[in-house]
Amino acid sequence: MITVNGEGLDWHEGMTVRDIIVARKFTFPMLAVWIDDSPVPRDAFDETVVPDGATVQVIHMISGG
Amino acid sequence: MTKEMKLIAEWTYEPSDVVKGYTNQTLYVNVGKQEFAAKAVSEEMKLKFTGGRGFDLKLLWDAVNEKTKWNDPENEIVISGGPLCGITQYPGAGKFYAAFISPLTEQTYDSNAGGHFGPLLKVAGFDAIELQGKAEKDVVVVIDGDACKVQIFESIFDDVNAYTITEELHELFSDGSNDDKRYVSVLSAGKAAEFSYWGCINSSFWDIRRKVARLKQAGRGGGGTILRDKKIAAVVVKSHKLSGDMNKAVDIKVLQDRGNKLHREIHDLDAQQCRMRTVGTPHLNEIMNEYHLLPTHNYKFGAHKDIDKIHSNVYEKLFTQGIPDGCWYGCSLACAKAVDNFTIQTGPCKGKVVTVDGPEYETAVALGSNVGVFDPYWTLEGNFYADHYGLDTISLGTGLAFVCECYERGYITKEHTAGLDLNFGQAANLMELIHRMALGKDEFALAVGKGVRQMKKIFSERYGAPYEEMEKFGMEGQGIEVSEYVPKESIAQWGGFFLTLKGPQHDEAWLIFMDRVNKQLPTFEDKAEALHYFPNFRTWFSLVGLCKLPWNDIEPADNATKYRPQDAAKVPEHVQNYVDIFNAVTGRNIDKEELILMAERVYNFQRVFNLRMGKGTRKDHNIPLRALGPVYADEWEARPEYYDNELKSTGVDPAGLSVEEKIAKLQEARLAQWDKLVDAVYKRRGWDRNGIPTVKKLKELGMDLPEVVAVVEKHARPEDQWED
Amino acid sequence: MKWLKVHPDKCVGCGTCMETCSKTWFKENNPALSRIQVTEKGEDNYDLNACNQCGTCIDMCPVGALARDGNGIVRMDEKKCVGCLMCVGFCPTKSFYHAPKRPEPFKCIACGLCAKACPVEALEIVTE
Ligand code: SF4
Ligand code: SF4
Ligand code: SF4
């Protein structure tokens, strides 16, 4: 189990940042991802593996509109 | 060339060169009395009001009194670009801001547009223009920056609709060549603005590649309605003094370096980020649908199965690609998209092949999913006619959506609508209604054009429609229609829309993702902080003449990893760019904190201005129930699990409750949250419980001008003050 | 099409080309004002960057100040230019330059003076 933006999400072995984005249907392109206080570059979403128990923030970078 | 129009009045002025972003004088034109004047801009005025919207409001304050109505001759349209308006090196620096007492909200409104009017007005010699009075017959006001003359002509145009009059005036005030027409810009409204409160101000620029006049809109608030009420058919400005150094910045190197860096960022990253250069703001269409934020059927739903028909890829194919589509020179974000060779299907222009400006996201949705039409060609036609007739596409779409829901609920019928079936999705009939709004003959079309707030009254008085029900789903705040995002899912966005100076546009704060998806604003204090920072930050753009989009619709490659999420949302590097280019133009020495202070001065001044006009208190911050949550069963049933969970999170067990009961319970909980939000936001902004800025706050900001303090003291009550 | 072809392998980094260019077009010996830029990449290893006349910038210009002349060279009408630098920011090879000396940017127009001045023939005007 991991936490994504404060809510629980089932974890599986080898789960990547991209898997989280797909599971949560985060289709917005301007995402900032932090795993336990370290940032993940946008071009590394596909290969970055998320450990079990991680606290993940998937920040949608829009505050204007 | 101008011999064809009869000159009524003329005034010659002393040219005043731009220095450090200012000409240091403003222009006053009274079209009724045919009076002209140049007013000096003091250092004090620059320090307190900065420019742009700040100058507008200062001049407007001096022009009106607390009884002024929108159609009184003393009401003004004041237009100003601000000290950065007209710089070419940094993307997004050609905006002007117009302010006036609005027919919709009966208080101050400000609205901005691109196009070349703002920069040309400045090189013609003025930091702002005030248009006051009412002419007897249609006039055209001309500011000729080459000859240093201001002229009022009797209009010779039978057709005041925007595209027609704009093209003719570009022709008339240039030597007729393609290249010379770009030294002219025209403000216009259109025929529907004579009958509707949704009148927009169109601002033109000449597109040398397409060889047509392009129109950008200061759409919201009814500025075009006032323009036509003053019998101003158009305002023309011309000047050949455009150059890369027209603002006489103290340090052009900073402008070049920051500008080029941003061009490079856009060049490298836009295609992966927002695709502004290829699709512009409609890149949001499917994204908003995915997050249940796409207004559908008058904000009942946030998503629709036919989204693919209005997907950004569809628009991408419609927009002509590869043209530098900036609404001012130097905007490489180039979101001012256009569809060429479009054949009009209905109305007076039927059969004509035209270039349609836009649609932008808001228009694509307002004249799209919100009225239940999923046909981009219909949206294009609606967009064309709204601009041409001088109607704000957002208010028009949200207003039509309200009409559709009234029709769907049986509150109005064909008997009332002069034969039109106006259910959601009735594309042809809705278009016919738009045409009728420009003809001004049919009673129903006239009522619609008065806006949702008036429609609620008229429909109940005239057709017996239930007022209290319409209050629930009539999507307006302070008298103006909500722009195109579903607010019911984010508490912070209730504030972003409804705790604003002028009503639910979205130019103050868009916090839905921060609040709802990112969960970055867990407490009311967090939400209040965001509802302090972002509205002020964005107000700053309106003081200096900038477009908001290049701030965060593109971000540096390392923005998301270099800064903590809370800071990254502000795009710190771009904020620093703004500080730097402001200093580089004006020679001042502000920092990012001073930037917010500059904005707060004007923000609070405007709040007090509204108080002076008999508004601007807590009761004026109204919010319809539909903005807070579902109102009818179909809304709940579209996402039953989601809303059951929402109800649970407020401590109510949904088990065994009927949908109607659930809706009532959720409403109750959310109204209580709304009250908490209002308190927290007022407190953070330095306002009392009634939403009035405190004298202490005004003192801190240096805005304790005697006439401002007098208004506050007249209205503030001891029982509304916070204890501490 | 005429353009300035560069042979960085021959370049010795003397800077004669930059001096010639800036003196010719800006009447000032200042490498920052040269339309060809020589940068040191490592020991005896130089990068030469001048416009290859690809024409990308033409479509970026909002005022139509850029166009090809009879020889295919991309030229700027300085009277029209409003100094927006979009041509600079979008040049694929970063060969369009700007300086605070004037609002208008500048780029190589294949006049060939630097090629004549280069002591080691690292530059040549070609037509192809
Ligand atoms: S981003 Fe769009 S609206 Fe803003 S200045 Fe550029 S072209 Fe105009
Ligand atoms: S300056 Fe750049 S974009 Fe323009 S022609 Fe030369 S290489 Fe191409
Ligand atoms: S800097 Fe001048 S030449 Fe270059 S794109 Fe802008 S206006 Fe055109």
Side-chain angles (χ1 to χ4, degrees):
Chain A
M1 189 71 136
I2 57 169
T3 333
V4 177
N5 294 354
E7 282 166 25
L9 185 70
D10 285 336
W11 178 84
H12 61 81
E13 191 65 48
M15 186 177 206
T16 64
V17 169
R18 178 70 57 205
D19 294 336
I20 298 178
I21 291 171
V22 171
R24 277 293 166 86
K25 295 200 188 154
F26 289 156
T27 51
F28 187 62
M30 309 267 274
L31 296 176
V33 174
W34 289 65
I35 302 175
D36 295 329
D37 277 353
S38 344
V40 182
R42 236 168 248 164
D43 51 18
F45 286 176
D46 289 341
E47 59 265 29
T48 304
V49 175
V50 184
D52 193 11
T55 304
V56 182
Q57 280 178 282
V58 183
I59 303 298
H60 293 56
M61 297 292 295
I62 183 178
S63 42
Chain B
M1 10 153 205
T2 51
K3 63 180 178 291
E4 294 164 52
M5 284 203 290
K6 188 174 140 210
L7 186 67
I8 309 176
E10 182 173 89
W11 175 74
T12 308
Y13 60 90
E14 280 298 313
S16 179
D17 291 336
V18 189
V19 188
K20 301 182 197 173
Y22 293 95
T23 67
N24 296 306
Q25 66 174 5
T26 66
L27 170 63
Y28 170 84
V29 177
N30 189 310
V31 292
K33 298 181 185 152
Q34 291 145 29
E35 288 170 357
F36 308 88
K39 297 183 183 174
V41 171
S42 67
E43 286 306 308
E44 159 110 358
M45 181 163 159
K46 288 196 265 184
L47 285 177
K48 291 209 186 316
F49 295 95
T50 306
R53 188 207 319 193
F55 278 14
D56 292 345
L57 290 164
K58 153 82 181 126
L59 293 166
L60 187 64
W61 177 292
D62 294 342
V64 301
N65 60 64
E66 64 273 13
K67 297 210 175 62
T68 299
K69 293 279 167 275
W70 73 271
N71 54 358
D72 284 335
E74 74 264 20
N75 189 17
E76 291 190 334
I77 295 177
V78 199
I79 292 171
S80 172
L84 302 192
C85 176
I87 62 173
T88 57
Q89 292 82 7
Y90 199 85
K95 297 273 180 174
F96 71 73
Y97 286 75
F100 42 82
I101 304 295
S102 157
L104 289 162
T105 66
E106 302 173 319
Q107 60 182 356
T108 64
Y109 204 93
D110 62 270
S111 189
N112 75 80
H116 293 182
F117 192 89
L120 282 169
L121 178 68
K122 195 191 263 187
V123 281
F126 299 103
D127 287 333
I129 176 173
E130 289 170 84
L131 294 161
Q132 202 182 35
K134 282 191 191 200
E136 271 162 33
K137 284 188 196 151
D138 270 4
V139 294
V140 174
V141 177
V142 178
I143 301 131
D144 183 338
D146 296 327
C148 294
K149 272 184 192 156
V150 183
Q151 298 160 312
I152 301 178
F153 292 95
E154 202 173 292
S155 168
I156 45 165
F157 302 100
D158 298 328
D159 184 359
V160 298
N161 285 318
Y163 278 105
T164 317
I165 195 163
T166 301
E167 298 243 344
E168 299 230 24
L169 288 167
H170 272 275
E171 180 78 34
L172 207 53
F173 286 93
S174 66
D175 67 13
S177 69
N178 186 40
D179 188 58
D180 202 50
K181 286 180 181 173
R182 69 188 176 87
Y183 297 101
V184 175
S185 176
V186 178
L187 300 185
S188 64
K191 202 66 194 161
E194 294 172 16
F195 309 110
S196 168
Y197 290 172
W198 291 331
C200 72
I201 301 173
N202 286 293
S203 159
S204 75
F205 70 93
W206 189 259
D207 186 327
I208 54 162
R209 289 198 170 64
R210 295 181 170 92
K211 301 188 172 62
V212 297
R214 301 282 306 278
L215 298 181
K216 298 285 110 193
Q217 291 76 30
R220 312 229 59 205
T225 306
I226 302 168
L227 207 64
R228 294 304 296 130
D229 182 64
K230 293 188 177 308
K231 292 223 176 329
I232 298 172
V235 182
V236 179
V237 62
K238 69 176 272 201
S239 170
H240 283 77
K241 285 188 218 149
L242 288 184
S243 79
D245 193 21
M246 58 173 259
N247 270 296
K248 292 286 177 286
V250 294
D251 189 354
I252 197 169
K253 181 175 188 313
V254 171
L255 300 183
Q256 292 181 328
D257 292 350
R258 299 299 181 281
N260 187 37
K261 185 151 186 245
L262 187 53
H263 288 323
R264 211 66 221 178
E265 242 168 78
I266 293 170
H267 170 271
D268 294 345
L269 303 169
D270 177 61
Q272 301 121 54
Q273 294 185 2
C274 292
R275 296 188 295 141
M276 299 296 277
R277 290 179 52 76
T278 44
V279 271
T281 52
H283 80 92
L284 291 168
N285 294 5
E286 61 274 9
I287 292 170
M288 290 303 139
N289 186 74
E290 201 68 67
Y291 291 85
H292 292 270
L293 298 171
L294 184 86
T296 304
H297 290 201
N298 194 33
Y299 302 83
K300 275 201 246 183
F301 315 114
H304 196 276
K305 64 173 175 42
D306 288 339
I307 180 66
D308 285 350
K309 294 187 183 156
I310 60 168
H311 195 281
S312 64
N313 294 342
V314 177
Y315 280 106
E316 180 169 2
K317 286 198 198 90
L318 289 167
F319 294 139
T320 307
Q321 299 293 335
I323 294 184
D325 275 326
C327 70
W328 167 242
Y329 302 143
C331 191
S332 49
L333 209 53
C335 82
K337 296 294 146 212
V339 177
D340 293 301
N341 302 315
F342 181 76
T343 308
I344 297 288
Q345 302 297 320
T346 67
C349 300
K350 185 173 173 173
K352 253 181 111 172
V353 180
V354 300
T355 293
V356 183
D357 257 284
E360 300 191 39
Y361 164 77
E362 301 272 347
T363 306
V365 174
L367 298 175
S369 55
N370 214 1
V371 292
V373 178
F374 293 82
D375 172 2
Y377 292 99
W378 185 87
T379 301
L380 285 172
E381 181 129 346
N383 194 161
F384 173 83
Y385 273 118
D387 295 347
H388 193 47
Y389 290 153
L391 288 174
D392 167 25
T393 52
I394 298 175
S395 274
L396 175 64
T398 298
L400 291 179
F402 172 77
V403 171
C404 292
E405 187 158 355
C406 287
Y407 197 94
E408 183 183 67
R409 300 187 69 77
Y411 300 163
I412 51 174
T413 65
K414 274 191 192 166
E415 235 173 274
H416 309 125
T417 64
L420 299 176
D421 174 349
L422 293 175
N423 256 309
F424 288 109
Q426 287 289 346
N429 291 341
L430 286 165
M431 192 64 71
E432 172 59 22
L433 180 56
I434 295 173
H435 292 310
R436 288 183 191 180
M437 288 172 69
L439 291 172
K441 291 200 182 104
D442 156 340
E443 228 186 41
F444 180 77
L446 282 172
V448 172
K450 296 290 184 291
V452 169
R453 184 168 275 197
Q454 297 301 323
M455 272 192 265
K456 289 187 286 191
K457 290 190 191 131
I458 300 171
F459 289 1
S460 74
E461 281 162 18
R462 210 183 276 167
Y463 314 134
Y467 188 83
E468 322 71 59
E469 287 303 310
M470 291 187 292
E471 274 281 273
K472 294 180 188 166
F473 63 81
M475 294 296 277
E476 58 91 359
Q478 303 182 51
I480 190 154
E481 289 71 20
V482 178
S483 75
E484 306 308 314
Y485 298 95
V486 171
K488 59 186 162 192
E489 314 308 347
S490 156
I491 295 177
Q493 190 56 24
W494 300 345
F497 270 147
F498 295 94
L499 294 177
T500 43
L501 287 173
K502 51 188 193 269
Q505 22 63 34
H506 58 284
D507 78 345
E508 287 203 8
W510 197 94
L511 302 173
I512 306 182
F513 282 167
M514 269 189 110
D515 184 34
R516 188 71 207 188
V517 188
N518 305 343
K519 307 275 166 54
Q520 286 173 289
L521 308 171
T523 68
F524 283 100
E525 283 65 40
D526 296 329
K527 297 180 208 296
E529 184 57 35
L531 286 164
H532 157 73
Y533 178 82
F534 289 106
N536 278 302
F537 179 67
R538 294 186 56 171
T539 293
W540 190 78
F541 290 108
S542 70
L543 307 182
V544 296
L546 291 176
C547 171
K548 166 263 153 187
L549 303 183
W551 160 51
N552 70 348
D553 281 297
I554 179 79
E555 59 166 45
D558 61 359
N559 186 53
T561 46
K562 187 165 165 192
Y563 302 97
R564 309 288 307 181
Q566 211 78 322
D567 294 324
K570 295 177 179 173
V571 200
E573 191 177 310
H574 288 178
V575 174
Q576 191 56 42
N577 284 351
Y578 289 122
V579 168
D580 293 345
I581 63 174
F582 180 82
N583 290 337
V585 170
T586 62
R588 285 179 59 185
N589 187 21
I590 65 160
D591 55 21
K592 64 184 198 298
E593 284 78 29
E594 173 74 14
L595 180 155
I596 296 294
L597 270 181
M598 291 161 75
E600 264 196 282
R601 287 187 191 112
V602 175
Y603 195 88
N604 282 275
F605 178 80
Q606 191 168 6
R607 183 74 182 158
V608 177
F609 199 157
N610 289 344
L611 186 64
R612 179 182 178 223
M613 302 312 292
K615 309 265 173 182
T617 63
R618 189 168 185 137
K619 71 171 170 2
D620 301 298
H621 274 153
N622 67 307
I623 185 165
L625 282 177
R626 170 77 46 88
L628 292 169
V631 168
Y632 297 123
D634 54 349
E635 293 162 70
W636 192 286
E637 277 155 5
R639 301 176 79 192
E641 254 174 67
Y642 172 82
Y643 283 120
D644 278 357
N645 279 332
E646 286 294 297
L647 192 54
K648 267 187 218 151
S649 75
T650 70
V652 177
D653 181 6
L657 297 178
S658 72
V659 173
E660 283 70 23
E661 284 164 341
K662 289 179 190 174
I663 289 173
K665 292 270 183 216
L666 190 63
Q667 277 173 0
E668 198 184 308
R670 287 191 169 178
L671 278 167
Q673 289 172 315
W674 164 250
D675 267 336
K676 281 197 190 139
L677 181 73
V678 178
D679 279 341
V681 169
Y682 285 179
K683 205 163 183 181
R684 176 61 187 91
R685 287 182 184 167
W687 299 354
D688 69 18
R689 275 200 189 81
N690 197 24
I692 298 176
T694 60
V695 175
K696 180 165 166 268
K697 180 75 191 180
L698 294 173
K699 280 210 177 106
E700 275 167 30
L701 297 172
M703 290 305 276
D704 51 335
L705 308 162
E707 63 274 28
V708 177
V709 171
V711 173
V712 169
E713 282 175 346
K714 186 173 159 197
H715 293 91
R717 301 172 304 198
E719 65 268 31
D720 294 329
Q721 306 312 307
W722 304 101
E723 286 74 40
D724 50 14
Chain C
M1 194 179 79
K2 208 168 132 188
W3 61 292
L4 180 72
K5 191 167 185 176
V6 296
H7 303 284
D9 49 314
K10 294 189 192 163
C11 176
V12 293
C14 68
T16 307
C17 56
M18 294 201 282
E19 182 178 339
T20 309
C21 182
S22 65
K23 274 190 179 159
T24 306
W25 298 105
F26 280 102
K27 311 284 170 244
E28 189 182 315
N29 181 7
N30 178 355
L33 297 176
S34 169
R35 292 143 193 251
I36 173 164
Q37 289 293 320
V38 184
T39 37
E40 199 169 349
K41 284 201 297 185
E43 205 164 324
D44 277 343
N45 186 358
Y46 297 93
D47 192 39
L48 293 175
N49 190 340
C51 167
N52 60 20
Q53 316 299 339
C54 74
T56 305
C57 53
I58 298 174
D59 290 334
M60 286 305 296
C61 181
V63 293
L66 298 168
R68 286 195 195 275
D69 69 10
N71 292 320
I73 298 165
V74 178
R75 307 285 295 244
M76 179 205 285
D77 179 342
E78 286 171 17
K79 283 203 290 296
K80 272 191 188 171
C81 171
V82 291
C84 73
L85 308 187
M86 294 208 292
C87 51
V88 175
F90 280 70
C91 171
T93 51
K94 301 190 186 174
S95 315
F96 217 136
Y97 302 109
H98 67 88
K101 191 176 170 75
R102 63 174 209 188
E104 302 82 18
F106 44 88
K107 65 177 268 303
C108 170
I109 49 168
C111 71
L113 291 174
C114 58
K116 282 203 192 98
C118 176
V120 294
E121 297 182 333
L123 303 166
E124 98 184 277
I125 292 290
V126 293
T127 309
E128 52 190 40

